[in-house]
Amino acid sequence: MNNEDFSAPKWKRLLLNRFVLVPAVLILLTVGWNLWVVTHDHGIVEGQVLDATGAPVEGAEVKLWVFNFTTFVVKATTTSRPDGSFEFANNPSHNIQVSAEKPGKGRSARVAIRLYFASEDFVLKDPLRLTDGT
Amino acid sequence: MKKYPRWPIHLALLAASFVMLVPFYWVLKTSVSGENIFSYPPNIIPRDPNPFYYVDVWYAIPFARFFLNSVIVSVMTIAANVVLNAMAGYSLTQSFRGKSVVLMLLLSCMMIPFQTTIIPAYLITGKLGLLDSYLGLALPLFSTIICIFVFKASFDAVPRSLIDAAKIDGLSEWKIIWKVMMPLATSAMATNVILSFIWSWNNFMWPLIATRSADMQTLPLGLARFMSYQEDSTGALYAFCIMVLAPGILLFLLAQREFVQGLTSGAAKG
């Protein structure tokens, strides 16, 4: 304030100072983030189920676990397609786990997924691997 | 005149800064790593830092609502403090009968802790019908004596001739405050803004008593509520602390020069 340049136009003095610029940048970031959230919060979780040899598993039961205050509970189940892929379209949470199981093929470990916001669309990078099926 | 080396002062200041900043760093580090505070040896650099504890906090409680409540109450407090304290500070720069008694009363009132006046404050707020409202939450902090004296010190530094000239030009007392004194007291204003913001933002006791519905709670109450059912999550707790502290730190960093000037103005007066 004391280093104010009084030769500058009044609008410049009013707008181009840190008390305006910092909140403006924060508001812009908030708006940008919310736009990103709105366009990416369909609750879609995608992935693939493979067996121990790396082959896709069709018909595996995939479970979506959602954190419920103190523990994880099953929110939804789906079945993997012929290419082993699966998709959930109704994930409501930001803290989830997915697991897969098929009789005779085994079961996968529960994979923990942390999302940046609730219902964020997410594609599982590593496939769920069924083991110990004998 | 003998010139002393400055490095010992800088060294001492560095050490003091280190001691003061380490706790903040530790809270920040734990909020992104979730490391147990009792783990030994402690990690100086956070392992696998991530923002997910902040996400947990956001969804564990109605954080946005509490944040909005805190912002509204703080803005009301700041506005009232600047206006009321400036008026009170200006009046104390004038000569009037009983001024020394008023000054003594104000100074002695500074020694009474808020906790002792909380029951009358509650009863008055209740009689006004302002319990569980934003105005009721902000009301006890509308004017603070320290901030009145910050304005008084700043106004005392304005030459008397300037006020006399304004009076000769036909300005009323009200206009003298806002057109002459306030532009010259930006540091005092910044100090008022920061102090009233911090006191309002961190206030726990009064909102605890004055609010009834969960929708009217402020962030410190949210923190207490959060701790009551998330006590096992160190990372989330520390993330909440950072989210509560961040606006105050940001405001201080924005106006720190004016804040320091405001606190020290009048300090060297004889």
Side-chain angles (χ1 to χ4, degrees):
Chain A
M1 282 182 193
N2 290 342
N3 294 339
E4 210 173 348
D5 179 14
F6 287 98
S7 62
K10 196 176 180 185
W11 69 266
K12 220 171 187 178
R13 278 186 280 143
L14 284 174
L15 293 180
L16 299 183
N17 65 70
R18 63 188 186 281
F19 296 103
V20 174
L21 289 177
V22 173
V25 168
L26 289 177
I27 289 168
L28 272 178
L29 287 174
T30 308
V31 170
W33 172 251
N34 278 290
L35 281 175
W36 173 263
V37 170
V38 166
T39 50
H40 293 82
D41 70 341
H42 306 102
I44 297 168
V45 178
E46 292 175 301
Q48 193 183 23
V49 184
L50 302 180
D51 64 13
T53 63
V57 178
E58 182 187 3
E61 185 187 36
V62 186
K63 290 177 180 170
L64 173 71
W65 304 73
V66 172
F67 189 67
N68 183 21
F69 200 61
T70 52
T71 184
F72 284 89
V73 292
V74 176
K75 174 71 182 170
T77 57
T78 189
T79 308
S80 59
R81 301 179 190 114
D83 62 348
S85 65
F86 66 87
E87 181 183 306
F88 292 101
N90 54 356
N91 166 39
S93 180
H94 65 283
N95 189 4
I96 58 172
Q97 295 177 342
V98 286
S99 66
E101 186 176 6
K102 183 173 182 181
K105 289 276 186 182
R107 64 176 59 180
S108 74
R110 265 198 235 172
V111 176
I113 302 170
R114 301 300 304 266
L115 303 173
Y116 291 103
F117 51 89
S119 305
E120 182 187 358
D121 300 338
F122 185 82
V123 178
L124 209 59
K125 277 181 193 160
D126 299 319
L128 300 173
R129 287 187 185 278
L130 305 186
T131 54
D132 194 25
T134 52
Chain B
M1 200 170 128
K2 193 179 175 186
K3 206 173 179 184
Y4 292 99
R6 296 183 74 84
W7 67 265
I9 297 169
H10 288 155
L11 197 67
L13 288 174
L14 267 176
S17 305
F18 180 77
V19 169
M20 287 180 189
L21 290 175
V22 160
F24 284 101
Y25 172 72
W26 217 257
V27 172
L28 186 65
K29 186 205 76 164
T30 310
S31 75
V32 293
S33 67
E35 183 186 302
N36 191 309
I37 52 171
F38 299 113
S39 65
Y40 187 85
N43 294 305
I44 305 297
I45 307 295
R47 275 188 191 170
D48 189 24
N50 63 73
F52 297 121
Y53 291 111
Y54 291 85
V55 182
D56 287 344
V57 172
W58 184 264
Y59 290 109
I61 57 159
F63 187 89
R65 175 76 202 192
F66 292 168
F67 187 84
L68 180 72
N69 290 346
S70 282
V71 168
I72 291 172
V73 173
S74 297
V75 168
M76 287 170 79
T77 307
I78 289 169
N81 262 274
V82 171
V83 174
L84 299 177
N85 294 343
M87 288 159 63
Y90 179 72
S91 69
L92 291 175
T93 60
Q94 307 298 303
S95 299
F96 57 90
R97 261 175 75 181
K99 181 182 169 183
S100 56
V101 177
V102 172
L103 283 172
M104 214 157 64
L105 266 174
L106 283 174
L107 286 170
S108 56
C109 281
M110 281 173 69
M111 287 181 257
I112 302 171
F114 178 67
Q115 285 81 354
T116 58
T117 60
I118 213 155
I119 292 173
Y122 178 83
L123 292 174
I124 292 167
T125 312
K127 292 269 184 201
L128 291 170
L130 295 176
L131 288 174
D132 212 26
S133 71
Y134 291 126
L135 187 57
L137 282 170
L139 197 59
L141 284 172
F142 264 17
S143 181
T144 43
I145 299 168
I146 293 173
C147 291
I148 291 174
F149 279 96
V150 168
F151 265 123
K152 181 185 177 300
S154 182
F155 291 161
D156 276 336
V158 177
R160 186 74 209 168
S161 56
L162 200 63
I163 300 167
D164 291 339
K167 279 183 181 169
I168 290 167
D169 285 343
L171 257 63
S172 62
E173 299 284 2
W174 183 253
K175 279 196 172 169
I176 289 173
I177 295 176
W178 297 109
K179 299 270 184 191
V180 180
M181 305 302 261
M182 290 302 268
L184 296 170
T186 49
S187 304
M189 204 153 53
T191 309
N192 262 260
V193 168
I194 289 177
L195 286 179
S196 54
F197 173 80
I198 289 170
W199 288 331
S200 166
W201 193 260
N202 295 337
N203 198 359
F204 175 76
M205 180 77 91
W206 179 246
L208 179 69
I209 291 164
T211 56
R212 288 171 183 170
S213 59
D215 277 353
M216 288 305 294
Q217 289 186 346
T218 53
L219 280 176
L221 292 184
L223 181 57
R225 183 169 151 187
F226 183 75
M227 281 172 73
S228 66
Y229 58 76
Q230 289 277 337
E231 57 191 16
D232 60 325
S233 178
T234 311
L237 183 63
Y238 280 46
F240 197 129
C241 291
I242 292 288
M243 289 162 86
V244 174
L245 283 172
I249 292 173
L250 180 70
L251 188 68
F252 175 76
L253 290 176
L254 274 175
Q256 60 173 321
R257 193 175 55 208
E258 288 78 11
F259 178 62
V260 174
Q261 278 174 0
L263 282 182
T264 53
S265 71
K269 283 188 72 167

